[in-house]
Amino acid sequence: MSIFSTNKRITNLFNNVARAPLVDYSGDDDFLSLSHLVHSFLEENTNVNDDSVANEFDSDRVEVDESSTLKRLNGIFSNNADNYRNKLLEHVYEALENFAFLRERNISIFRRSVAAFLREKGHDAAVCVTSWEAYDGTVTAGSHEFIDVIRKGSADTWRYFVEIEFRAQFEIAKPTRQFSEVLRSVPGVFVGGEIEMKRSVSILCDAAKRCFRSREVSIPPWRRNRFMQNKWFAPCERKANSVQGKPVKVTEVNGVSCRLLGFDDVVMETRRGGAVTVRTR
Protein backbone atom coordinates (compact mmCIF):
# COMPACT_ATOMS: atom_id res chain seq x y z
CA MET A 1 0.00 0.00 0.00
CA SER A 2 1.56 3.32 -1.05
CA ILE A 3 1.81 6.42 1.10
CA PHE A 4 -0.16 8.36 -1.54
CA SER A 5 -3.20 6.08 -1.37
CA THR A 6 -3.13 6.16 2.44
CA ASN A 7 -2.99 9.96 2.48
CA LYS A 8 -5.83 10.16 -0.01
CA ARG A 9 -8.14 8.02 2.10
CA ILE A 10 -7.47 10.16 5.16
CA THR A 11 -8.03 13.52 3.43
CA ASN A 12 -11.21 12.16 1.86
CA LEU A 13 -12.67 11.98 5.34
CA PHE A 14 -12.93 15.77 5.27
CA ASN A 15 -15.32 17.71 3.05
CA ASN A 16 -13.97 20.17 0.52
CA VAL A 17 -14.33 23.16 2.81
CA ALA A 18 -12.52 21.51 5.71
CA ARG A 19 -9.89 19.99 3.44
CA ALA A 20 -8.88 23.28 1.82
CA PRO A 21 -7.02 24.71 4.81
CA LEU A 22 -5.05 21.47 5.10
CA VAL A 23 -3.82 21.51 1.51
CA ASP A 24 -3.51 25.25 0.88
CA TYR A 25 -1.77 26.21 4.08
CA SER A 26 0.45 29.26 3.55
CA GLY A 27 1.03 30.61 7.03
CA ASP A 28 4.17 31.44 8.97
CA ASP A 29 7.10 29.07 8.31
CA ASP A 30 7.53 28.65 12.06
CA PHE A 31 4.33 26.61 12.17
CA LEU A 32 3.50 23.34 10.47
CA SER A 33 0.22 22.71 8.71
CA LEU A 34 -1.93 19.82 9.81
CA SER A 35 -1.51 18.40 6.32
CA HIS A 36 2.26 18.43 6.68
CA LEU A 37 2.07 16.73 10.06
CA VAL A 38 -0.22 14.01 8.73
CA HIS A 39 1.99 13.36 5.71
CA SER A 40 5.15 13.33 7.81
CA PHE A 41 3.62 10.87 10.25
CA LEU A 42 2.55 8.53 7.46
CA GLU A 43 5.92 8.65 5.71
CA GLU A 44 7.81 8.05 8.95
CA ASN A 45 5.71 5.03 9.89
CA THR A 46 5.57 3.56 6.40
CA ASN A 47 9.34 3.52 5.92
CA VAL A 48 10.14 1.34 8.93
CA ASN A 49 12.55 -1.46 7.93
CA ASP A 50 14.87 -4.05 9.43
CA ASP A 51 17.64 -1.49 9.92
CA SER A 52 15.54 0.52 12.35
CA VAL A 53 14.55 -2.65 14.14
CA ALA A 54 18.19 -3.63 14.51
CA ASN A 55 18.92 -0.38 16.32
CA GLU A 56 16.06 -0.62 18.81
CA PHE A 57 17.41 -1.82 22.15
CA ASP A 58 14.07 -1.96 23.94
CA SER A 59 11.39 -2.32 21.31
CA ASP A 60 7.79 -2.94 22.35
CA ARG A 61 6.94 -3.92 18.81
CA VAL A 62 5.22 -7.30 18.55
CA GLU A 63 5.20 -9.48 15.46
CA VAL A 64 1.79 -10.63 14.27
CA ASP A 65 2.77 -13.62 12.17
CA GLU A 66 5.19 -16.34 13.32
CA SER A 67 5.93 -17.18 9.70
CA SER A 68 7.29 -13.66 9.31
CA THR A 69 9.67 -14.28 12.22
CA LEU A 70 10.91 -17.53 10.68
CA LYS A 71 11.35 -15.88 7.30
CA ARG A 72 13.40 -13.02 8.73
CA LEU A 73 15.61 -15.34 10.76
CA ASN A 74 16.17 -17.58 7.77
CA GLY A 75 17.20 -14.53 5.75
CA ILE A 76 19.88 -13.75 8.34
CA PHE A 77 21.25 -17.25 8.90
CA SER A 78 21.18 -18.40 5.27
CA ASN A 79 23.04 -15.38 3.90
CA ASN A 80 26.27 -16.65 2.30
CA ALA A 81 27.33 -13.44 0.54
CA ASP A 82 30.16 -12.68 3.00
CA ASN A 83 33.12 -14.83 1.94
CA TYR A 84 35.18 -13.95 4.99
CA ARG A 85 32.34 -14.91 7.30
CA ASN A 86 31.98 -18.23 5.47
CA LYS A 87 35.67 -19.03 5.93
CA LEU A 88 35.51 -17.98 9.60
CA LEU A 89 32.48 -20.22 10.12
CA GLU A 90 34.37 -23.14 8.58
CA HIS A 91 37.29 -22.60 10.96
CA VAL A 92 34.97 -22.23 13.96
CA TYR A 93 33.34 -25.61 13.32
CA GLU A 94 36.76 -27.18 12.83
CA ALA A 95 37.82 -25.81 16.23
CA LEU A 96 34.60 -26.99 17.88
CA GLU A 97 35.25 -30.50 16.63
CA ASN A 98 38.91 -30.48 17.71
CA PHE A 99 38.15 -29.31 21.25
CA ALA A 100 34.78 -30.99 21.78
CA PHE A 101 36.24 -33.02 24.67
CA LEU A 102 36.67 -29.77 26.64
CA ARG A 103 33.16 -28.46 26.27
CA GLU A 104 31.58 -30.30 29.18
CA ARG A 105 34.67 -30.09 31.39
CA ASN A 106 35.39 -26.36 31.32
CA ILE A 107 33.44 -24.05 29.01
CA SER A 108 35.81 -21.14 29.65
CA ILE A 109 38.92 -23.09 28.63
CA PHE A 110 36.94 -24.51 25.72
CA ARG A 111 36.14 -21.00 24.52
CA ARG A 112 39.77 -19.87 24.90
CA SER A 113 40.95 -22.91 22.94
CA VAL A 114 38.60 -22.07 20.08
CA ALA A 115 39.88 -18.47 20.04
CA ALA A 116 43.51 -19.69 20.04
CA PHE A 117 42.74 -22.05 17.14
CA LEU A 118 41.22 -19.18 15.16
CA ARG A 119 44.35 -17.09 15.75
CA GLU A 120 46.47 -19.94 14.39
CA LYS A 121 44.29 -19.79 11.28
CA GLY A 122 45.16 -16.12 10.87
CA HIS A 123 42.12 -14.46 12.47
CA ASP A 124 42.41 -11.64 15.01
CA ALA A 125 40.31 -13.58 17.54
CA ALA A 126 40.00 -13.11 21.28
CA VAL A 127 37.72 -13.98 24.16
CA CYS A 128 35.57 -10.93 24.82
CA VAL A 129 33.98 -10.26 28.23
CA THR A 130 31.21 -7.67 28.47
CA SER A 131 29.86 -6.27 31.72
CA TRP A 132 27.34 -3.59 32.61
CA GLU A 133 25.67 -2.08 35.64
CA ALA A 134 21.95 -1.79 36.24
CA TYR A 135 20.44 1.32 34.67
CA ASP A 136 17.14 3.03 33.84
CA GLY A 137 15.46 1.05 36.60
CA THR A 138 14.61 -1.68 34.07
CA VAL A 139 17.93 -3.26 33.06
CA THR A 140 19.67 -5.44 35.62
CA ALA A 141 23.45 -5.74 35.89
CA GLY A 142 25.16 -8.60 34.11
CA SER A 143 28.17 -9.93 32.24
CA HIS A 144 28.79 -12.28 29.34
CA GLU A 145 31.68 -14.04 27.60
CA PHE A 146 32.02 -14.84 23.91
CA ILE A 147 34.58 -14.70 21.09
CA ASP A 148 34.98 -11.82 18.71
CA VAL A 149 37.10 -11.45 15.59
CA ILE A 150 38.40 -8.15 14.25
CA ARG A 151 38.93 -7.89 10.49
CA LYS A 152 40.83 -4.87 9.26
CA GLY A 153 40.60 -3.69 5.69
CA SER A 154 42.41 -0.89 3.90
CA ALA A 155 39.83 1.68 5.00
CA ASP A 156 37.37 -0.07 7.32
CA THR A 157 37.32 -2.39 10.31
CA TRP A 158 34.68 -5.08 10.86
CA ARG A 159 33.81 -6.96 14.01
CA TYR A 160 32.48 -10.53 13.87
CA PHE A 161 30.81 -12.33 16.76
CA VAL A 162 31.43 -16.01 17.49
CA GLU A 163 28.84 -17.18 20.03
CA ILE A 164 29.23 -20.91 20.60
CA GLU A 165 26.06 -21.13 22.74
CA PHE A 166 23.79 -18.80 20.82
CA ARG A 167 20.53 -20.76 20.85
CA ALA A 168 20.96 -21.52 24.55
CA GLN A 169 20.83 -17.78 25.33
CA PHE A 170 17.14 -17.69 24.36
CA GLU A 171 15.85 -20.94 25.83
CA ILE A 172 13.02 -20.60 28.37
CA ALA A 173 11.47 -23.02 30.82
CA LYS A 174 7.97 -23.40 29.36
CA PRO A 175 8.04 -22.38 25.71
CA THR A 176 4.95 -22.30 23.56
CA ARG A 177 4.81 -24.47 20.48
CA GLN A 178 5.31 -21.38 18.32
CA PHE A 179 8.40 -20.26 20.23
CA SER A 180 9.88 -23.76 20.13
CA GLU A 181 9.47 -23.72 16.35
CA VAL A 182 11.25 -20.38 16.14
CA LEU A 183 14.07 -21.58 18.39
CA ARG A 184 14.58 -24.71 16.25
CA SER A 185 15.36 -22.44 13.29
CA VAL A 186 18.21 -20.78 15.23
CA PRO A 187 21.72 -22.25 14.88
CA GLY A 188 23.43 -23.39 18.04
CA VAL A 189 26.53 -21.43 17.01
CA PHE A 190 26.35 -17.86 15.73
CA VAL A 191 29.03 -16.42 13.46
CA GLY A 192 28.27 -13.04 11.94
CA GLY A 193 28.63 -9.29 12.00
CA GLU A 194 27.13 -6.54 14.11
CA ILE A 195 23.98 -6.02 12.05
CA GLU A 196 23.20 -9.74 11.91
CA MET A 197 23.65 -10.05 15.67
CA LYS A 198 21.46 -7.05 16.49
CA ARG A 199 18.70 -8.15 14.13
CA SER A 200 18.60 -11.76 15.27
CA VAL A 201 18.59 -10.80 18.97
CA SER A 202 15.80 -8.27 18.39
CA ILE A 203 13.67 -10.78 16.47
CA LEU A 204 14.19 -13.54 19.05
CA CYS A 205 13.38 -11.20 21.94
CA ASP A 206 10.13 -10.28 20.17
CA ALA A 207 9.30 -13.97 19.84
CA ALA A 208 10.08 -14.57 23.52
CA LYS A 209 7.88 -11.61 24.44
CA ARG A 210 4.95 -13.13 22.59
CA CYS A 211 5.60 -16.43 24.36
CA PHE A 212 5.46 -14.85 27.82
CA ARG A 213 2.38 -12.82 26.95
CA SER A 214 0.54 -15.88 25.67
CA ARG A 215 1.30 -17.52 29.03
CA GLU A 216 0.02 -14.37 30.75
CA VAL A 217 3.21 -13.95 32.76
CA SER A 218 5.50 -10.96 33.13
CA ILE A 219 8.58 -10.74 30.93
CA PRO A 220 11.69 -11.19 33.11
CA PRO A 221 14.12 -8.23 32.92
CA TRP A 222 16.90 -10.55 31.72
CA ARG A 223 14.76 -11.59 28.72
CA ARG A 224 14.15 -8.08 27.41
CA ASN A 225 15.83 -6.83 24.29
CA ARG A 226 17.95 -4.17 26.05
CA PHE A 227 19.42 -6.69 28.47
CA MET A 228 20.10 -9.25 25.76
CA GLN A 229 21.74 -6.71 23.45
CA ASN A 230 24.11 -5.78 26.29
CA LYS A 231 25.53 -9.30 26.25
CA TRP A 232 27.32 -8.56 23.00
CA PHE A 233 27.37 -4.75 22.76
CA ALA A 234 28.19 -3.52 26.26
CA PRO A 235 31.77 -2.29 26.97
CA CYS A 236 34.13 -5.25 26.82
CA GLU A 237 37.62 -6.58 27.47
CA ARG A 238 39.32 -8.71 24.82
CA LYS A 239 41.55 -11.47 26.20
CA ALA A 240 44.25 -13.17 24.13
CA ASN A 241 47.13 -15.51 24.99
CA SER A 242 49.57 -13.53 22.92
CA VAL A 243 49.35 -10.42 25.10
CA GLN A 244 51.06 -10.39 28.47
CA GLY A 245 51.29 -7.86 31.29
CA LYS A 246 49.57 -4.51 31.33
CA PRO A 247 46.20 -4.14 29.57
CA VAL A 248 46.43 -2.56 26.13
CA LYS A 249 43.77 -0.19 24.82
CA VAL A 250 42.11 -1.37 21.61
CA THR A 251 40.67 1.12 19.15
CA GLU A 252 36.91 1.42 19.46
CA VAL A 253 35.15 -0.93 17.04
CA ASN A 254 31.56 -0.29 15.95
CA GLY A 255 31.00 1.99 18.91
CA VAL A 256 32.11 -0.62 21.45
CA SER A 257 35.11 0.23 23.61
CA CYS A 258 37.39 -2.72 24.36
CA ARG A 259 40.57 -3.45 26.27
CA LEU A 260 42.96 -6.23 25.27
CA LEU A 261 44.21 -8.35 28.17
CA GLY A 262 46.54 -11.31 28.41
CA PHE A 263 45.92 -14.46 30.45
CA ASP A 264 48.25 -17.24 31.51
CA ASP A 265 46.09 -20.30 30.96
CA VAL A 266 47.35 -22.27 28.01
CA VAL A 267 45.56 -25.40 26.85
CA MET A 268 47.72 -28.07 25.30
CA GLU A 269 46.36 -31.20 23.71
CA THR A 270 48.75 -34.11 23.61
CA ARG A 271 48.02 -37.63 22.59
CA ARG A 272 49.89 -40.37 24.40
CA GLY A 273 48.84 -43.86 23.52
CA GLY A 274 45.53 -42.55 22.19
CA ALA A 275 44.67 -40.67 25.42
CA VAL A 276 43.97 -36.98 25.53
CA THR A 277 45.64 -34.88 28.24
CA VAL A 278 44.72 -31.31 29.05
CA ARG A 279 47.32 -29.19 30.85
CA THR A 280 46.98 -25.61 32.10
CA ARG A 281 49.64 -23.40 33.59
Side-chain angles (χ1 to χ4, degrees):
M1 178 177 65
S2 66
I3 296 173
F4 176 80
S5 62
T6 306
N7 296 351
K8 185 175 180 181
R9 287 205 304 274
I10 291 179
T11 54
N12 282 341
L13 295 176
F14 301 92
N15 58 32
N16 291 335
V17 176
R19 192 187 313 155
L22 299 180
V23 178
D24 297 330
Y25 175 81
S26 59
D28 194 319
D29 289 339
D30 291 337
F31 297 89
L32 293 175
S33 67
L34 178 57
S35 176
H36 183 273
L37 292 174
V38 170
H39 282 247
S40 297
F41 173 81
L42 290 171
E43 292 178 45
E44 178 181 352
N45 286 276
T46 305
N47 293 327
V48 174
N49 55 30
D50 280 345
D51 291 332
S52 64
V53 171
N55 292 324
E56 291 176 359
F57 276 76
D58 194 22
S59 171
D60 287 329
R61 179 180 53 83
V62 176
E63 293 284 348
V64 177
D65 188 1
E66 292 292 344
S67 63
S68 173
T69 298
L70 293 171
K71 183 178 180 180
R72 293 171 66 195
L73 287 174
N74 183 65
I76 294 172
F77 300 131
S78 63
N79 184 6
N80 296 317
D82 187 340
N83 292 329
Y84 178 81
R85 181 258 179 189
N86 296 338
K87 177 59 66 175
L88 177 59
L89 180 63
E90 178 183 328
H91 290 159
V92 167
Y93 276 108
E94 186 178 349
L96 295 180
E97 182 178 356
N98 289 346
F99 297 101
F101 66 97
L102 278 174
R103 191 162 196 160
E104 298 299 326
R105 301 182 187 182
N106 191 314
I107 189 65
S108 182
I109 293 180
F110 173 65
R111 192 177 288 111
R112 292 177 180 183
S113 301
V114 172
F117 180 88
L118 294 178
R119 285 195 296 276
E120 290 180 359
K121 291 292 186 178
H123 304 286
D124 182 4
V127 173
C128 190
V129 181
T130 54
S131 61
W132 62 95
E133 301 297 329
Y135 61 93
D136 287 352
T138 57
V139 179
T140 57
S143 63
H144 187 62
E145 184 175 285
F146 59 96
I147 298 170
D148 75 347
V149 175
I150 304 301
R151 179 192 177 198
K152 294 181 180 180
S154 57
D156 298 307
T157 299
W158 297 270
R159 188 186 191 201
Y160 290 82
F161 297 84
V162 178
E163 177 56 76
I164 60 177
E165 295 185 310
F166 186 65
R167 186 192 299 119
Q169 304 301 318
F170 301 91
E171 293 176 347
I172 58 181
K174 296 180 179 180
T176 59
R177 178 184 59 79
Q178 292 84 353
F179 184 72
S180 294
E181 183 180 358
V182 169
L183 210 55
R184 281 194 297 270
S185 71
V186 177
V189 177
F190 177 94
V191 177
E194 177 186 15
I195 293 178
E196 289 79 13
M197 176 63 84
K198 284 186 176 180
R199 284 178 174 173
S200 57
V201 171
S202 179
I203 293 170
L204 287 167
C205 286
D206 277 346
K209 184 189 302 182
R210 293 195 302 275
C211 177
F212 284 113
R213 286 181 175 176
S214 68
R215 299 293 192 192
E216 298 183 346
V217 296
S218 299
I219 304 172
W222 57 90
R223 291 297 183 185
R224 294 182 179 275
N225 191 33
R226 293 184 71 184
F227 181 93
M228 295 297 291
Q229 295 281 358
N230 275 331
K231 287 188 173 185
W232 297 278
F233 295 101
C236 69
E237 292 179 345
R238 301 186 79 227
K239 300 181 178 181
N241 286 353
S242 58
V243 178
Q244 301 294 334
K246 190 175 181 180
V248 178
K249 182 70 177 180
V250 176
T251 304
E252 189 169 280
V253 178
N254 293 333
V256 178
S257 178
C258 302
R259 289 191 306 157
L260 189 58
L261 302 177
F263 55 77
D264 295 327
D265 288 342
V266 178
V267 179
M268 299 181 63
E269 179 182 358
T270 59
R271 296 185 179 277
R272 298 177 179 176
V276 177
T277 303
V278 180
R279 179 165 58 89
T280 63
R281 59 177 176 86

